Amino acid sequence: MDAVIVYESAWGNTKIIAEAVAEGLAATIDIGMVLDVSFAPPADMVKADLLVVGAPTHAFGLSRPQTREEAARRGGHPGDTGLREWISAAGDVHLPVAVFDTHVRHPNLPGAASKKAAKLLRSRGASLLAKPESFYVEGYEGPVLPGEIDRATKWGAELAQRLPESSRVA
């Protein structure tokens, strides 16, 4: 059994967290793929026992074309497609999902991309395996704050433990 992780990242921080989550999951279940959203199959075509998605928090929520353009103007490298569009384009997504975001810690701004992504996925039929999680970065561009990579690895391991026994690696 396996998990697929799909992430959106402008400065690489969300990718780093996605890889840490994958490391935590890999101790118990197989990791099928860790994919940038630009290269991911449509959400309703993902074949896995768990779908994990992650995105940076832009303007208090999931990125939009305008916020990705702003990130690019500030030196980031966002893709043309964001998690919002990827989920919105999907049909039924009948999978357990876990959702995370990266979020600026100082100043501690409101909003979280993970909450909007979870709401969109639930509207497509997905069931949440865990409540949405935020991992923190320094400033808008990062880096990931100390301890957050370890916390993401532990979160991945916790997700694997929440899956039914039949989904775990023997």
Side-chain angles (χ1 to χ4, degrees):
M1 301 299 172
D2 64 353
V4 171
I5 301 174
V6 176
Y7 67 88
E8 171 188 350
S9 193
W11 281 277
N13 299 303
T14 309
K15 178 182 181 184
I16 289 167
I17 295 299
E19 291 168 346
V21 171
E23 184 179 325
L25 284 164
T28 308
I29 65 172
D30 291 327
I31 301 301
M33 296 179 274
V34 179
L35 297 168
D36 182 290
V37 68
S38 299
F39 303 105
D44 54 347
M45 301 300 282
V46 170
K47 304 293 184 216
D49 297 295
L50 173 64
L51 173 62
V52 180
V53 299
T57 300
H58 284 203
F60 315 115
L62 279 172
S63 74
R64 291 184 159 79
Q66 302 88 337
T67 63
R68 289 192 297 276
E69 288 172 14
E70 176 60 26
R73 281 194 292 278
R74 290 187 310 186
H77 302 283
D80 292 333
T81 300
L83 210 59
R84 176 190 300 270
E85 294 86 3
W86 183 75
I87 296 168
S88 294
D92 292 338
V93 181
H94 294 292
L95 290 171
V97 298
V99 186
F100 72 91
D101 63 62
T102 51
H103 193 81
V104 174
R105 186 59 164 183
H106 300 290
N108 192 11
L109 300 172
S114 58
K115 291 180 182 177
K116 180 63 176 180
K119 182 177 180 180
L120 288 172
L121 284 162
R122 282 194 315 268
S123 76
R124 298 283 188 265
S127 58
L128 287 181
L129 186 65
K131 68 181 179 91
E133 189 66 47
S134 292
F135 296 94
Y136 297 101
V137 299
E138 183 63 42
Y140 295 102
E141 292 85 20
V144 174
L145 287 176
E148 292 300 276
I149 294 171
D150 288 340
R151 195 166 71 80
T153 303
K154 288 177 187 166
W155 188 67
E158 290 169 9
L159 293 176
Q161 293 303 315
R162 290 176 181 238
L163 287 170
E165 281 292 328
S166 62
S167 298
R168 298 186 201 163
V169 174

